[in-house]
C-alpha cells in the first residue's frame, strides 16, 4: 500500500507548551476542510487505482492502523463487534480490520469518489461483506446508531479546518458520535492537529478517557512533542 508515513496531508508537528496544552483555539480554515478538496483528491486516487491498482495514501501510515488493532486485541474486542470507520477514505482501515477477523464493518464518507474507491479496493481484496456508505457524519444524526466501536483517523482534523462554521461542526460531531455509539462503546481517535489535552477537553462530556496509545515523538529546542495523538474513549452517561 502507498505512503506509510506517520504524518499526512494538512498535518504539522506539534509542541505541547504550557500555554497551549488546554487551549481549544480554532485553526485557520483551509481547503483541507472542504468536501470539494476531498472529492477531487479521491477522484484522482480512484482513477489511479483503476489504471494501475495503487490504492493511494494511507492516512497516518500503516502503523496508525496496527497500533489500533493491537489495542483492540488487548481489549478483546469481539470479532462480531459493530465497527464504524468515520471518514473511511480509500477504505484501507476497513481492509485491515476485515483481514484481522472483524466481520461487522461499516465505513462512511461524504465523498462519492471515496466511497467508490473504497468499494473497488474491498472488492479487489475479495471482501464483499463490508458496508460502505456515502454519508456526511455531520448531517446524519439518528441514522447511525448501535456501534460498539467508532474509529476516526483524521476526519475530526478535517472538520476542524472547515471554513464554514467549524466551531458548530465540532460540536455537532461530538453529538453525532454520542448517538452512534452504544453505552460503553469505544471511540478511537488519531489526530495530528489536536493535542492529548485538547482532545480530552473536547470529548469530556459523555465520554470517559481510557488510554493513550504510544505514538512517535520528536525533540526540538529541548522539548519533546508528538507528531500525532491517539486516544481511546468510552461512551458513558
Amino acid at each position: 500500500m502507498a505512503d506509510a508515513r506517520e504524518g499526512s496531508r494538512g498535518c504539522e508537528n506539534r509542541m505541547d507548551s504550557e500555554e497551549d496544552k488546554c487551549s481549544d483555539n480554532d485553526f485557520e480554515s483551509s481547503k483541507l476542510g472542504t468536501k470539494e478538496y476531498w472529492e477531487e483528491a479521491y477522484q484522482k486516487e480512484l482513477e489511479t487505482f483503476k489504471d494501475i491498482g495503487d490504492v493511494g495514501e494511507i492516512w497516518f501510515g500503516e502503523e496508525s492502523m496496527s497500533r489500533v488493532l493491537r489495542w483492540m486485541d488487548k481489549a478483546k474486542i469481539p470479532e462480531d463487534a459493530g465497527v464504524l470507520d468515520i471518514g473511511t477514505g480509500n477504505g484501507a482501515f476497513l481492509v485491515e480490520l476485515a483481514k484481522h477477523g472483524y466481520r461487522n464493518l461499516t465505513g462512511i464518507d461524504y465523498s462519492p469518489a471515496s466511497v467508490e474507491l473504497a468499494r473497488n479496493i474491498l472488492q479487489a481484496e475479495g471482501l464483499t461483506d463490508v458496508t460502505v456508505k456515502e454519508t456526511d457524519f455531520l448531517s446524519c444524526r439518528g441514522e447511525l446508531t448501535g456501534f460498539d466501536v467508532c474509529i476516526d483517523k483524521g476526519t475530526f482534523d478535517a472538520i476542524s479546518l472547515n471554513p464554514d462554521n467549524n466551531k458548530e461542526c465540532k460540536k455537532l460531531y461530538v453529538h453525532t458520535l454520542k448517538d452512534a455509539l452504544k453505552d460503553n462503546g469505544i471511540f478511537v481517535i488519531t489526530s495530528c492537529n489536536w493535542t492529548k489535552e485538547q482532545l480530552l477537553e473536547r470529548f469530556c462530556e459523555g465520554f470517559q478517557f481510557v488510554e493513550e496509545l504510544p505514538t512517535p515523538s520528536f525533540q526540538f529546542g529541548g522539548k519533546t512533542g508528538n507528531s500525532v495523538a491517539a486516544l481511546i474513549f468510552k461512551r458513558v452517561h
Side-chain angles (χ1 to χ4, degrees):
M1 287 189 175
D3 199 342
R5 295 173 298 171
E6 185 64 44
S8 197
R9 293 173 288 196
C11 298
E12 296 180 357
N13 289 341
R14 310 152 316 163
M15 273 297 180
D16 301 350
S17 67
E18 291 301 322
E19 290 77 13
D20 67 11
K21 273 187 176 179
C22 296
S23 70
D24 193 21
N25 296 327
D26 292 334
F27 300 104
E28 290 186 13
S29 62
S30 166
K31 64 181 181 179
L32 292 163
T34 66
K35 181 177 181 179
E36 291 76 17
Y37 173 86
W38 294 111
E39 178 63 12
E40 181 180 353
Y42 284 117
Q43 187 62 49
K44 291 178 181 177
E45 292 194 0
L46 175 61
E47 293 169 2
T48 300
F49 178 75
K50 289 180 176 179
D51 287 342
I52 61 174
D54 188 334
V55 302
E57 183 175 3
I58 300 175
W59 198 252
F60 294 121
E62 292 180 358
E63 174 56 24
S64 67
M65 299 186 291
S66 297
R67 74 168 64 96
V68 174
L69 288 169
R70 288 194 296 269
W71 184 87
M72 292 174 71
D73 285 342
K74 185 181 73 170
K76 294 181 169 54
I77 303 297
E79 291 182 350
D80 63 350
V83 180
L84 177 65
D85 187 18
I86 303 169
T88 195
N90 59 9
F93 209 166
L94 293 173
V95 170
E96 295 306 311
L97 286 160
K99 289 181 175 180
H100 213 70
Y102 293 100
R103 55 183 184 269
N104 186 8
L105 303 174
T106 300
I108 61 167
D109 207 293
Y110 66 3
S111 162
S114 157
V115 171
E116 185 178 353
L117 175 61
R119 287 173 176 168
N120 274 261
I121 291 172
L122 286 161
Q123 184 176 12
E125 294 282 350
L127 302 171
T128 58
D129 294 331
V130 179
T131 300
V132 184
K133 299 179 180 180
E134 182 186 331
T135 302
D136 185 344
F137 192 64
L138 300 184
S139 302
C140 67
R141 258 193 101 175
E143 296 178 23
L144 297 169
T145 59
F147 288 96
D148 299 288
V149 181
C150 287
I151 297 173
D152 180 315
K153 200 157 59 72
T155 298
F156 186 67
D157 286 347
I159 287 170
S160 302
L161 300 173
N162 190 322
D164 299 322
N165 197 7
N166 60 41
K167 285 186 178 181
E168 187 59 32
C169 288
K170 286 182 289 188
K171 292 178 182 178
L172 186 56
Y173 178 100
V174 175
H175 289 308
T176 306
L177 180 64
K178 289 178 182 179
D179 290 345
L181 279 169
K182 291 180 179 178
D183 290 349
N184 296 316
I186 296 297
F187 173 50
V188 184
I189 182 168
T190 303
S191 170
C192 63
N193 285 340
W194 298 100
T195 66
K196 172 186 176 180
E197 288 75 15
Q198 290 169 327
L199 291 171
L200 289 173
E201 184 176 353
R202 173 59 59 185
F203 297 98
C204 62
E205 295 183 7
F207 298 92
Q208 176 184 322
F209 174 63
V210 175
E211 187 175 344
E212 179 180 16
L213 303 184
T215 60
S217 62
F218 63 94
Q219 289 188 332
F220 182 78
K223 294 183 178 180
T224 300
N226 294 83
S227 56
V228 298
L231 304 184
I232 310 290
F233 292 89
K234 179 187 290 187
R235 176 75 172 101
V236 295
H237 287 283

